[in-house]
């Protein structure tokens, strides 16, 4: 995540950028939201046609929302942004829904600082190579935070909260609980299979209620 704020000139260019982003998602005709079939709670599955939602009080996956928001709030504008190895950037603002005011953050999980290769500026009758790093802001977002609810538009947003670590911890807890039920004939093989590859994702939403179902032979 970037640690500093970037100011764009002319200042109204930020508004134009936001309008371009909005047009791409909710504009008339073809838009980026058309590919999504539903919105559901994050459960470790990975469906490209689903928007996954996570609240800060999600009972299955712990997310450090406060750390993220504090990091954004404490951004240091004295750092040269071109010297940073930023892996994402955030557009922060407010929006109204009737009389209610909500905070919204649009996050792109793409590096905003890049070097343009084979790009040239025209000046004094010649094309001159662009040697400097530039700020490259995209109109496609990966994560939206509406107040304190997170929406993953794709799974690249998992890295924001180290979700892989979170569901691996959840998987280990689930495997321990299932083994206690003594319904698995080969617990070592079960543990090895459950904790390898993409299988830990399947346990992201494991809960005690599901554990009860396993005791009835529905696992």
């Amino acid at each position: 995540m970037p640690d500093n704020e970037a100011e764009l000139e002319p200042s109204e260019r930020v508004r134009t950028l936001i309008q371009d982003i909005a047009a791409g998602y909710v504009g008339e005709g073809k838009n980026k939201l058309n590919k999504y079939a539903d919105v559901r709670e994050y459960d470790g599955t990975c469906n490209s046609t689903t928007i996954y939602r996570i609240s800060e009080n999600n009972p299955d996956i712990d997310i450090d929302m406060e750390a993220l928001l504090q990091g954004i709030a404490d951004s240091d504008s004295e750092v040269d942004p071109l010297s940073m190895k930023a892996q994402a950037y955030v557009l922060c603002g407010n929006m109204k829904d009737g009389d209610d005011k909500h905070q919204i953050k649009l996050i792109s999980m793409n590096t905003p600082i890049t070097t343009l290769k084979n790009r040239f500026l025209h000046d004094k009758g010649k094309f001159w190579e662009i040697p400097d790093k530039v700020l490259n802001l995209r109109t496609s977002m990966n994560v939206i935070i509406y107040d304190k609810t997170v929406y993953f538009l794709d799974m690249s947003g998992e890295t924001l909260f180290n979700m892989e670590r979170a569901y691996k911890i959840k998987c280990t807890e689930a495997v321990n609980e299932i083994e206690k039920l003594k319904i698995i004939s080969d617990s070592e093989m079960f543990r090895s299979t459950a904790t390898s590859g993409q299988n830990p994702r399947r346990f992201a939403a494991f809960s005690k209620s599901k554990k009860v179902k396993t005791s009835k032979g529905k696992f």
Side-chain angles (χ1 to χ4, degrees):
M1 293 293 296
D3 293 326
N4 66 313
E5 298 177 0
E7 294 186 13
L8 301 184
E9 293 292 344
S11 57
E12 61 269 17
R13 189 62 183 83
V14 177
R15 181 181 294 274
T16 302
L17 174 62
I18 298 299
Q19 291 173 341
D20 289 343
I21 293 172
Y25 284 95
V26 296
E28 295 182 0
K30 184 178 180 180
N31 62 63
K32 298 183 180 76
L33 291 182
N34 287 339
K35 71 173 185 177
Y36 298 108
D38 61 349
V39 179
R40 70 177 71 160
E41 288 294 324
Y42 180 90
D43 58 1
T45 58
C46 183
N47 191 330
S48 61
T49 62
T50 295
I51 296 176
Y52 292 96
R53 176 181 59 237
I54 306 177
S55 301
E56 63 173 344
N57 58 350
N58 185 291
D60 298 316
I61 296 294
D62 293 328
I63 58 174
D64 197 347
M65 176 71 78
E66 290 302 325
L68 175 65
L69 298 182
Q70 191 63 42
I72 295 173
D74 292 341
S75 58
D76 182 2
S77 59
E78 295 182 0
V79 178
D80 179 7
L82 296 181
S83 67
M84 301 180 59
K85 296 182 179 179
Q87 297 178 336
Y89 62 90
V90 186
L91 299 174
C92 303
N94 298 289
M95 63 179 296
K96 284 189 175 182
D97 181 10
D99 295 330
D100 298 326
K101 189 175 183 180
H102 301 274
Q103 295 182 338
I104 187 167
K105 297 171 180 63
L106 306 178
I107 301 177
S108 173
M109 301 299 295
N110 293 284
T111 175
I113 306 299
T114 186
T115 300
L116 298 179
K117 294 183 178 181
N118 302 320
R119 298 293 190 273
F120 303 84
L121 286 174
H122 186 262
D123 184 42
K124 297 179 182 179
K126 295 182 179 181
F127 287 94
W128 301 81
E129 184 180 13
I130 304 174
D132 300 324
K133 293 180 180 180
V134 299
L135 179 65
N136 181 30
L137 302 181
R138 304 168 186 259
T139 56
S140 293
M141 299 291 108
N142 305 99
V143 180
I144 296 175
I145 301 179
Y146 184 75
D147 289 333
K148 291 188 177 182
T149 300
V150 181
Y151 295 88
F152 288 165
L153 302 185
D154 59 54
M155 305 319 294
S156 65
E158 287 182 318
T159 58
L160 269 178
F161 301 102
N162 200 2
M163 299 300 290
E164 182 177 1
R165 176 180 178 275
Y167 60 65
K168 282 185 176 180
I169 291 175
K170 195 72 177 180
C171 172
T172 299
E173 294 175 350
V175 169
N176 291 338
E177 291 292 334
I178 292 172
E179 286 183 343
K180 290 178 182 178
L181 297 175
K182 299 185 183 301
I183 59 174
I184 305 298
S185 59
D186 191 335
S187 60
E188 288 187 9
M189 180 178 291
F190 170 70
R191 176 176 290 274
S192 176
T193 302
T195 58
S196 63
Q198 294 295 315
N199 289 329
R201 282 181 170 273
R202 300 172 182 270
F203 296 89
F206 179 85
S207 64
K208 290 183 178 180
S209 62
K210 293 184 178 181
K211 185 182 74 172
V212 172
K213 290 181 180 181
T214 64
S215 66
K216 295 180 181 179
K218 296 183 179 181
F219 178 74

